[in-house]
Amino acid sequence: MKIDYEVVIIGSGVAGMTSAIYLKRSGVSCCLLEKEIPGGQITKSSSITNYPGILDISGPDFSNIIYKQVTDLGVTYKYADVLGIDIKDDLKIIKTDMGDIITKKIIIATGRIPKKLNIHGEEELIGKGISYCALCDGNFFKGEDIAVIGGGNSAIEEAIYLSKICKSVTIIHRKEEFRADKILLDKLKNISNIKYKMSYIPKSFNEKDNKLASITIIGKDNKEENLKVKGCFIYIGQVPNSKIFKGLIKYDREGYIKVNEHRKTNIDGIYAVGDVVKKDAYQLITAMNDGVIASVNCIEELKN
Ligand code: NAP
C-alpha cells in the first residue's frame, strides 16, 4: 500500500495545529484533516486574556496566526469528514467522505462540541434565537434582550461580550454561585445591563412566528417564570468529539480518550491530544502542550 503521509492529524484546533508545526519542522510529511474551519473551539471565543505573552486577542485572530504558521510551513491542509479508521498491519487507513488516506501514524485532535440542554424547543430553535456561539451570532441581537445559560468561564466571558451589543443579558444559572474565575466575576460587578436568575433551571424554549420568544424557567420553589428574550446563548460545557472512534480507541464513560503520558492511545501509532482527552484543565496552553508531546514522540518513533 502506498503511504500518503507519515502522520495525519484529525482536527485542526490549536492542539492539532501545534502538532503539525512540530512535525513539519522536523521534516515529517503530515496532513491536517478538518471538516469545518481551522481553529476549532477557540474561534468561538471573543477574547483571550490568559495566554502568557499576549495581553488580549480574539479567538479568530489567534487561530488565524497559528493557521498562517502552519500553511507557511507547507503543511497539507485537507477538508474532509472522517468516517472511521481501519488498521492494516503497521498502517492506518483513514476513511473519509473524500476517499481513503493511508498513513503510518495518526494524531486525534477532534476536541469537544457544545453540550445541549435537551429540553423542549432547543433543537427546533437553533439558528432562530438559540445559539452556542456569541461571537458568531451576537450581532443578530443588537439592542435586544437576551439570555445566557451557564455559570462557567465560557458563560461569563460571553455574557460580558454580549452585554456590549445587546440591551440586556440575563444569566440563568442552576446554582447560587458561579464557578467561573474570580477575575471574570469581578468584571460582572461593573456591568449594569447584566441581570441574574440564580438557582433557576430552564424548562422549555417557546416560540412565536418560528422564532424564540421566551424561556420557561423553574425556581427553587418550583414556581415557573417566563423570561421574554429574543436570543439565548447556551454555555453549559462541552462533550468530547470521539464517537467516530468507538470500538477502536478506548475512552471513558463520558467519551474522553484515554492516553498515557506520551499521549498514546491503546492503539499503537495512534495518539490523542487536546480537549478530546481527559485532563484537569481545558486551556489553550494544555491543548498545545499535548500537541507538542504527541508530535515529539511521533518523530522519535518514526526515526526508529
Ligand atoms: P464548565 O466550566 O463545565 O461550566 C458549565 C456550566 O454550565 C456550569 O456552571 C454548570 O453548572 C452549567 N451546566 C452544566 N450542565 C447544565 C445543565 N444541564 N443545565 C444547566 N446548567 C448546566 O464549561 P465551560 O464554561 O464551557 O468551560 C469548559 C472548560 O474550558 C473549563 O475548564 C473552563 O475553565 C475552560 N475555559 C476557560 C476559559 C478561560 O480560562 N478564560 C474560558 C472558557 C472556558 P454547575 O456549576 O452547577 O455545574
Side-chain angles (χ1 to χ4, degrees), residues 3-8 23-24 27-31 103 302:
I3 293 164
D4 295 305
Y5 305 96
E6 285 176 289
V7 184
V8 172
L23 291 168
K24 192 71 186 176
V28 173
S29 75
C30 61
C31 167
T103 181
L302 287 166

Side-chain angles (χ1 to χ4, degrees), residues 41-42 45 47-50 112 115-119 149-158 172-181 183-184 200-202 234-238 275 279-284:
Q41 278 290 110
I42 201 62
S45 182
S47 158
I48 301 164
T49 52
N50 59 358
R112 299 194 291 181
K115 196 170 133 188
K116 292 190 175 166
L117 279 162
N118 292 321
I119 60 171
I149 300 177
N153 279 328
S154 301
I156 305 306
E157 258 180 5
E158 302 312 318
I172 303 164
H173 182 40
R174 66 182 177 184
K175 288 205 182 112
E176 236 359 89
E177 302 282 334
F178 291 123
R179 70 157 78 171
D181 294 346
I183 191 163
L184 289 174
Y200 277 87
I201 292 171
I234 302 172
Y235 283 105
I236 58 160
Q238 288 138 37
D275 283 7
K279 58 176 77 180
D280 290 339
Y282 292 92
Q283 295 285 314
L284 275 178

Side-chain angles (χ1 to χ4, degrees), residues 17 21 45 79 94 118 179 254 265:
M17 290 200 286
I21 291 171
S45 182
Y79 287 92
I94 304 176
N118 292 321
R179 70 157 78 171
E254 292 172 284
T265 67

Side-chain angles (χ1 to χ4, degrees), residues 38-165:
Q41 278 290 110
I42 201 62
T43 58
K44 294 172 181 165
S45 182
S46 51
S47 158
I48 301 164
T49 52
N50 59 358
Y51 187 84
I54 297 180
L55 290 178
D56 192 354
I57 188 166
S58 77
D61 285 350
F62 186 77
S63 74
N64 279 341
I65 295 169
I66 310 176
Y67 179 67
K68 185 173 181 326
Q69 262 178 303
V70 168
T71 46
D72 283 357
L73 279 169
V75 173
T76 308
Y77 204 97
K78 280 195 170 175
Y79 287 92
D81 197 358
V82 172
L83 309 171
I85 299 171
D86 280 348
I87 311 278
K88 187 116 177 53
D89 304 323
D90 274 356
L91 297 180
K92 277 99 196 149
I93 302 147
I94 304 176
K95 304 264 168 205
T96 84
D97 60 346
M98 309 295 276
D100 292 356
I101 300 172
I102 298 163
T103 181
K104 287 183 184 172
K105 300 198 182 293
I106 295 174
I107 298 179
I108 297 172
T110 44
R112 299 194 291 181
I113 46 179
K115 196 170 133 188
K116 292 190 175 166
L117 279 162
N118 292 321
I119 60 171
H120 175 82
E122 182 179 15
E123 205 60 42
E124 299 87 313
L125 292 169
I126 293 173
K128 297 168 186 167
I130 290 182
S131 168
Y132 304 84
C133 176
L135 194 62
C136 323
D137 300 327
N139 275 324
F140 296 127
F141 302 97
K142 253 185 200 156
E144 303 284 4
D145 295 314
I146 60 120
V148 167
I149 300 177
N153 279 328
S154 301
I156 305 306
E157 258 180 5
E158 302 312 318
I160 294 170
Y161 168 76
L162 288 162
S163 71
K164 294 169 195 156
I165 302 170

Side-chain angles (χ1 to χ4, degrees), residues 198-226:
M198 305 301 281
S199 296
Y200 277 87
I201 292 171
K203 185 188 169 197
S204 67
F205 294 106
N206 316 309
E207 58 99 26
K208 195 178 171 206
D209 301 329
N210 205 23
K211 283 187 183 148
L212 177 69
S214 68
I215 310 171
T216 306
I217 51 176
I218 310 173
K220 265 196 280 196
D221 47 9
N222 262 341
K223 257 196 192 153
E224 287 191 6
E225 277 182 40
N226 226 21

